[in-house]
Amino acid sequence: MPQQDARILVVDDEPFNLEILGEHLTDVGYEVVTAEDGEAAWSLLTHDRDFDTILLDRMMPRMDGMALLARLKQSEISHIPVIMQTAVGAAENVREGLAAGAYYYLIKPFQRDMLLAIVAAAVKFYREKRQLESQLEAQASTYRLLERGEFRFRTLDEARQLTLLLSNACPEPQRVAVGLSELLVNAVEHGNLGISYADKTRLLQQGRWQEEVEIRLASADFRRRNVHVAFEKRADTLAFTITDEGEGFDWQPFLEFSPERAFDPHGRGISMARMLSFDSVEYQGCGNAVIARVRIADD
């Protein structure tokens, strides 16, 4: 389901595409603003920046999608997620967009359900990131006195609460919060609850992911499972050790965000944590334990 009051900027030089995309998105409750090319979009964004996601065509006259993306990532609105839509499915083109900061992709012609799933995922990520940042600003900085601690939780709400506490123990809480939240949520849904990558893709497309999480949390098979977190402040490093009680997974493919997963509505968490939040992310054994580290700068 779309986030309440979410605004989407759709940039495409084809009037028919603008019409179809606009219809699909407004039908489910999004507010849609359109621009006919990158130049028009940039002009619009100079005075209206209140968007939750930008849906951007790659090939356009005047200013194409890659040029607009580069300008966005160097601006004060670099935090708005960009969904790149393209008719070119070659891996090198997708890889170029990912490197430039487009973590979501749609390939033309796209299915309506996939469009809505990708947009919902981008908006959800953006809204949760903003909420975390707002909550972090409101929290007292006394958590930075924390030297070490051990924690146990089982639900997604508890994961978010622990994210706030432990992020505030770090010199840059907002940097750490996004990646830490991803790792804690992964430990619940993929670790303890055994929701596979394919399962989550299907559930997100059906709008049933949250429902399935609640069902599994209450089931006899999973309700006794906990995630264990150890936090330790060392001389030059903060270390988070996160261990779930699941069967583990093949974590190697998820350390880097690959073009093969660029068109899925999820699968970015581990690579984004590694790139944006932590100086190192190291999985151990079968994949049910991960150590994330943040270097502490010398005063």
Side-chain angles (χ1 to χ4, degrees):
M1 296 297 292
Q3 296 281 337
Q4 186 178 11
D5 301 325
R7 298 181 78 223
I8 313 297
L9 174 60
V10 181
V11 188
D12 198 309
D13 64 315
E14 294 288 342
F16 179 74
N17 289 342
L18 287 178
E19 182 180 354
I20 293 298
L21 289 166
E23 286 182 1
H24 287 333
L25 295 171
T26 55
D27 281 350
V28 296
Y30 291 113
E31 179 184 346
V32 176
V33 177
T34 62
E36 66 271 19
D37 58 33
E39 195 73 48
W42 182 252
S43 178
L44 171 68
L45 288 165
T46 58
H47 58 82
D48 184 2
R49 301 179 173 186
D50 188 22
F51 293 100
D52 296 272
T53 294
I54 298 172
L55 185 55
L56 179 61
D57 190 29
R58 182 184 177 101
M59 301 298 293
M60 295 182 293
R62 296 208 298 170
M63 184 190 297
D64 67 12
M66 290 302 298
L68 178 58
L69 178 60
R71 189 172 291 189
L72 286 169
K73 291 305 174 182
Q74 296 172 3
S75 73
E76 296 178 356
I77 52 175
S78 61
H79 53 284
I80 300 177
V82 172
I83 303 170
M84 185 73 77
Q85 53 166 332
T86 179
V88 183
E92 59 269 19
N93 291 291
V94 176
R95 190 173 288 109
E96 180 187 9
L98 296 177
Y103 296 119
Y104 300 84
Y105 250 90
L106 275 172
I107 189 166
K108 300 177 182 178
F110 49 80
Q111 297 179 341
R112 178 180 182 275
D113 289 347
M114 183 56 71
L115 164 71
L116 297 180
I118 290 287
V119 171
V123 171
K124 181 174 181 288
F125 171 79
Y126 181 59
R127 287 287 177 95
E128 289 183 350
K129 182 174 183 291
R130 288 179 60 189
Q131 183 180 30
L132 271 175
E133 290 174 348
S134 175
Q135 291 172 322
L136 286 167
E137 290 176 0
Q139 294 280 357
S141 60
T142 52
Y143 290 121
R144 295 183 189 176
L145 301 176
L146 183 66
E147 295 286 339
R148 65 175 52 84
E150 295 186 3
F151 307 86
R152 182 178 64 185
F153 71 93
R154 60 182 299 272
T155 70
L156 297 184
D157 283 341
E158 290 170 343
R160 295 184 183 102
Q161 293 169 20
L162 188 56
T163 294
L164 290 173
L165 189 156
L166 291 178
S167 297
N168 271 301
C170 302
E172 299 178 85
Q174 293 184 355
R175 171 196 168 196
V176 172
V178 175
L180 182 60
S181 176
E182 293 286 351
L183 295 181
L184 296 181
V185 168
N186 279 347
V188 174
E189 61 176 6
H190 296 309
N192 284 353
L193 301 184
I195 298 175
S196 70
Y197 189 93
D199 288 340
K200 186 170 183 180
T201 300
R202 173 178 51 82
L203 290 165
L204 286 173
Q205 291 173 354
Q206 297 172 349
R208 293 185 50 248
W209 173 73
Q210 187 68 46
E211 176 188 350
E212 182 66 20
V213 168
E214 296 302 326
I215 289 172
R216 296 199 186 199
L217 282 171
S219 74
D221 291 337
F222 303 113
R223 66 187 177 203
R224 296 186 182 278
R225 289 185 175 182
N226 291 285
V227 179
H228 304 264
V229 180
F231 168 80
E232 184 177 4
K233 181 183 291 185
R234 301 167 186 169
D236 58 353
T237 307
L238 302 176
F240 304 84
T241 302
I242 303 164
T243 309
D244 63 63
E245 297 178 0
E247 298 177 356
F249 74 113
D250 181 13
W251 46 268
Q252 290 278 5
F254 296 95
L255 290 177
E256 302 287 346
F257 189 42
S258 71
E260 291 74 22
R261 297 195 310 276
F263 305 100
D264 295 339
H266 67 110
R268 297 157 181 79
I270 293 172
S271 59
M272 292 182 73
R274 185 167 174 259
M275 289 188 297
L276 304 178
S277 295
F278 300 107
D279 294 299
S280 68
V281 173
E282 176 188 342
Y283 276 86
Q284 299 183 330
C286 64
N288 69 337
V290 59
I291 303 175
R293 295 182 175 88
V294 178
R295 287 196 296 270
I296 303 174
D298 294 332
D299 294 333

